[in-house]
Structures are given as C-alpha cells and as structure tokens.
Amino acid sequence: EAGIFPNPTIDNLYLTLDVTRNISSVMDVNIIDMLGKVVKSNTLNVQEGLNVFEVNTSDIKAGTYLIRINNGKQSLVQKFVKK
C-alpha cells in the first residue's frame, strides 16, 4: 500500500510505502508528466513495514504528474499536482 502527501506539493513530496515481506526490497519510482515523459526517476531500498521517503520536486515545473511505483511484479500509479 502506498500514499503521497502533501498533494498538491511545492518542493517536497513524501511517499509512504507499507511493505510486506512478500515484496521486493528495491522499488523504482518514476514521476511522469501528462504527456507520458519520465521527468524524474529514483530507486528506493525498502524494508518490511512502513517506509517514508522524501522526493524532491523543486526541479520539476508546475503541473499535474503521475508517480509510478514498481517492484518488478506490481505497479502502482497515483496522481499529484506540483504548484
């Protein structure tokens, strides 16, 4: 399970991941614009339990984006707004 906050965001977006032991410990996180272009990409090392990561969004333009979290087996997508 995953969540993002604050939404809308200004400079930093926080990503929460509640990880079970059945999930890979490495996850790819992509921020994608509404044209489908990946504008930022990160790889996160996660542990079992609740994980919180800070994603710096100060270097992307204002607009609506998707954040895609992928562990190689499953993918989760959420929408957010950058002010």
Side-chain angles (χ1 to χ4, degrees), residues 17-25 46-51:
L17 297 169
D18 194 2
V19 177
T20 64
R21 63 178 170 223
N22 300 339
I23 302 293
S24 171
S25 62
V46 297
Q47 298 177 3
E48 185 177 347
L50 184 62
N51 296 261

Side-chain angles (χ1 to χ4, degrees), residues 36-74:
K37 179 181 175 188
V38 175
V39 295
K40 190 167 189 121
S41 186
N42 287 312
T43 300
L44 304 177
N45 293 312
V46 297
Q47 298 177 3
E48 185 177 347
L50 184 62
N51 296 261
V52 179
F53 298 97
E54 182 178 359
V55 179
N56 186 327
T57 58
S58 64
D59 57 342
I60 63 175
K61 296 178 183 178
T64 302
Y65 294 88
L66 300 175
I67 187 164
R68 181 177 58 206
I69 306 153
N70 188 332
N71 69 357
K73 295 179 183 177
Q74 297 175 327

Side-chain angles (χ1 to χ4, degrees), residues 14-33:
Y14 294 90
L15 172 63
T16 60
L17 297 169
D18 194 2
V19 177
T20 64
R21 63 178 170 223
N22 300 339
I23 302 293
S24 171
S25 62
V26 176
M27 294 193 179
D28 294 320
V29 177
N30 296 307
I31 296 178
I32 304 160
D33 67 17

